[in-house]
Amino acid sequence: MTQRVFARWVFVLLAGMLISCGPQSGPQANTLPDFTRLVQEQEPAVVNISTLQRVSGVEGRLRGQQVPEFFRHFFEGMEEQFDAPQRDAESQGSGFIISEDGYILTNYHVIRDADRILVRLQDRRELEAELVGHDQQSDLALLHIEEDDLPVVKIGSSRDLKVGEWVLAIGAPFGFESTVTAGIVSALGRSLPNENYVPFIQTDVAINPGNSGGPLFNLDGEVVGINSQIVSQSGGFMGLSFAIPIDMAMDVVQQLREDGRVARGWLGVLIQDVDRDLAESFGLDKPAGALVAQVMKDSPASAAGLEAGDVVISFNGETIDRSPQLPHLVGRVAPGAEATMEVVREGKRKTLKVTVGELPEDMRQDGGSERGAAPPAAAAPLGLTVAPLSDAEKEKLGLSHGVKVTDVKPGPAARAGIRAGDVLRTLNNLDVENPAALTEIVESLPTNSWVPALVQRGENPRFMAIRIEEAP
């Protein structure tokens, strides 16, 4: 290598180093957010909540040993054997002050069954709180302490949140007060099992027992959620935490302060998600919407003309991509208000108007039979053997028609998930009145297509898609 070539190579190398060390712009130049000012300004309004309740000695010991709920019922009624009198049990959580005159928001499960609620402020004062009201459906509770000129949080809007946005939590995990953790919003509108009315904010903020009821802040220092739940196999944080949207929470607060209770909209339907096979069987372009598996008798949905097999694709102008969105939207509508639904029925779009009812109180809380074979023509193509339903079975299940599946052989029905003991109510949107009617329906099924079947398993109706591969 000549000196001239070597010098040129060194010049290029140095120039590249200078360029790489110079000013940068774009995502790589961004630094991590500084949360210090946010914490200094908002921390005074975050409180620690502890509760006391009288429990049996056995229950208290079980709580102290953190025995899983599944095993606790084995010890009920054994106080005398354990010689354990009643004693105080304590639990802890978090909350935050929403008004200068002492109103505090937290999770209902933090103060559930409490005989005494104590609120500890950041200045170490400890005050007894009164339970103003609670809403079990959203897991929210409103407390009040007799104090004035208190620091308050800034209330933001969860509607403005975006996936990937930075958020911060302040709480008392495992009793360690004023603990700060941060992360990002990892999903929005998330539904959890047995939580029909809360579209949770999912984050990767570290949340542990004791954080429940504490605030979730955005970078502007505004509360956008209430830390409520984690999904964990160990009992501790594993990367998934869930917060109740603050917009929903403040609506609950307003109703609790004005009426002492929360009223939610209700349609009276059982719904399920639409997968690819069901979408094809119902003539949809793609899997979307909430598939109506059952319409309850004398319900708002029934009065509006909604039918089993309808796919609700929008409610009050908001598109429904997945079925859990429908309860979220309906729950936000005031009972008695009129709403508009767009549904797909037999491949055609239809608009329905419904007067939304109020969620019934009972929904807020947590013999021998005849057997026989259906005609072979009804059983062979689908792999089903069926029997008529007796009058007693129809009355017990609340059905006017259907056939009972007594045997399932390898074939289209088995692949769809139909089991012995199921009741086949409709096939290809036609009522199955009896085994003979099923035979006629099966003989008319289109070849090489998906058809919907409404099946009842116990008390739960559900649509399944059956693939008809060859002409029956």
Side-chain angles (χ1 to χ4, degrees):
M1 179 182 296
T2 65
Q3 289 184 339
R4 179 178 295 178
V5 173
F6 179 78
R8 182 179 298 172
W9 180 82
V10 171
F11 175 80
V12 172
L13 178 63
L14 290 174
M17 293 176 63
L18 288 173
I19 292 173
S20 65
C21 294
Q24 296 184 20
S25 60
Q28 291 183 344
N30 293 337
T31 59
L32 292 175
D34 183 355
F35 297 109
T36 54
R37 183 175 178 181
L38 188 161
V39 174
Q40 290 171 358
E41 293 177 350
Q42 300 303 320
E43 184 183 35
V46 182
V47 302
N48 176 248
I49 298 174
S50 59
T51 66
L52 294 173
Q53 62 186 110
R54 297 293 292 176
V55 298
S56 69
V58 171
E59 186 179 354
R61 290 181 183 180
L62 294 177
R63 292 188 182 193
Q65 297 298 320
Q66 296 184 331
V67 176
E69 291 286 347
F70 176 78
F71 295 105
R72 291 187 181 181
H73 73 277
F74 290 109
F75 297 91
E76 293 177 356
M78 300 179 67
E79 287 84 352
E80 295 181 0
Q81 293 173 272
F82 278 86
D83 191 25
Q86 285 196 341
R87 65 187 187 89
D88 287 336
E90 185 174 350
S91 62
Q92 289 190 334
S94 303
F96 52 97
I97 305 170
I98 60 174
S99 68
E100 293 182 351
D101 57 349
Y103 283 94
I104 295 170
L105 193 55
T106 186
N107 282 145
Y108 170 61
H109 76 258
V110 170
I111 54 84
R112 181 173 49 218
D113 300 327
D115 295 314
R116 191 181 182 197
I117 304 171
L118 299 176
V119 172
R120 186 178 298 112
L121 307 179
Q122 291 293 328
D123 60 9
R124 313 307 297 171
R125 283 182 293 169
E126 193 171 273
L127 304 169
E128 188 159 352
E130 171 195 5
L131 175 61
V132 177
H134 72 271
D135 178 42
Q136 190 168 346
Q137 292 289 134
S138 61
D139 190 26
L140 292 171
L142 183 64
L143 310 179
H144 184 258
I145 55 176
E146 293 293 339
E147 198 67 32
D148 294 316
D149 299 321
L150 291 169
V152 298
V153 296
K154 291 194 299 182
I155 300 297
S157 174
S158 47
R159 293 188 182 93
D160 299 328
L161 276 177
K162 294 180 175 61
V163 175
E165 182 176 341
W166 280 97
V167 283
L168 175 142
I170 303 178
F174 301 110
F176 294 102
E177 299 178 20
S178 301
T179 296
V180 178
T181 53
I184 64 169
V185 176
S186 52
L188 293 171
R190 188 70 82 193
S191 294
L192 298 179
N194 303 319
E195 301 286 353
N196 292 330
Y197 289 93
V198 180
F200 285 98
I201 303 164
Q202 179 183 309
T203 78
D204 67 353
V205 178
I207 299 297
N208 284 290
N211 274 112
S212 290
L216 183 73
F217 295 97
N218 62 17
L219 287 184
D220 293 326
E222 300 169 332
V223 177
V224 292
I226 303 170
N227 299 309
S228 176
Q229 298 190 38
I230 60 174
V231 173
S232 173
Q233 295 177 337
S234 65
F237 177 69
M238 294 183 68
L240 288 175
S241 54
F242 298 90
I244 301 165
I246 193 62
D247 295 325
M248 176 182 184
M250 295 311 294
D251 177 62
V252 169
V253 167
Q254 182 178 353
Q255 292 192 60
L256 288 176
R257 292 189 67 172
E258 293 178 356
D259 306 321
R261 61 187 293 272
V262 177
R264 277 193 177 78
W266 176 69
L267 282 183
V269 294
L270 298 180
I271 58 175
Q272 68 181 83
D273 240 346
V274 179
D275 59 22
R276 184 185 63 183
D277 298 340
L278 284 170
E280 185 173 339
S281 71
F282 281 99
L284 300 176
D285 296 333
K286 61 179 181 178
L291 174 56
V292 178
Q294 181 173 324
V295 178
M296 298 180 185
K297 186 178 179 182
D298 300 326
S299 66
S302 176
L306 202 63
E307 299 177 1
D310 287 348
V311 180
V312 184
I313 56 175
S314 74
F315 185 86
N316 266 356
E318 296 197 42
T319 301
I320 297 174
D321 294 316
R322 295 181 177 276
S323 62
Q325 292 175 256
L326 182 59
H328 299 167
L329 296 172
V330 175
R332 296 207 307 252
V333 177
E338 190 175 79
T340 302
M341 295 180 292
E342 188 175 7
V343 305
V344 175
R345 178 180 297 169
E346 297 180 358
K348 298 179 181 179
R349 295 197 173 200
K350 187 179 181 68
T351 299
L352 300 176
K353 289 188 176 181
V354 58
T355 301
V356 176
E358 182 176 350
L359 184 68
E361 190 65 33
D362 59 350
M363 293 186 181
R364 298 169 183 261
Q365 313 300 336
D366 310 7
S369 62
E370 299 176 358
R371 294 182 61 87
L382 302 183
L384 288 178
T385 302
V386 299
L389 283 177
S390 67
D391 292 339
E393 287 173 324
K394 290 179 182 178
E395 183 177 355
K396 180 180 178 180
L397 295 171
L399 301 177
S400 60
H401 61 270
V403 293
K404 180 171 53 181
V405 178
T406 60
D407 188 32
V408 183
K409 293 181 171 59
R415 288 192 291 272
I418 296 177
R419 308 174 189 169
D422 290 344
V423 174
L424 182 59
R425 294 172 50 179
T426 70
L427 183 63
N428 203 24
N429 298 317
L430 299 173
D431 291 344
V432 180
E433 299 286 352
N434 49 51
L438 177 60
T439 301
E440 294 180 7
I441 296 172
V442 170
E443 290 175 346
S444 66
L445 294 178
T447 307
N448 296 321
S449 63
W450 291 92
V451 297
L454 178 57
V455 173
Q456 179 132 342
R457 185 169 294 163
E459 297 181 353
N460 301 313
R462 184 173 185 83
F463 276 98
M464 296 179 179
I466 300 179
R467 175 70 176 176
I468 308 300
E469 298 174 350
E470 298 178 357

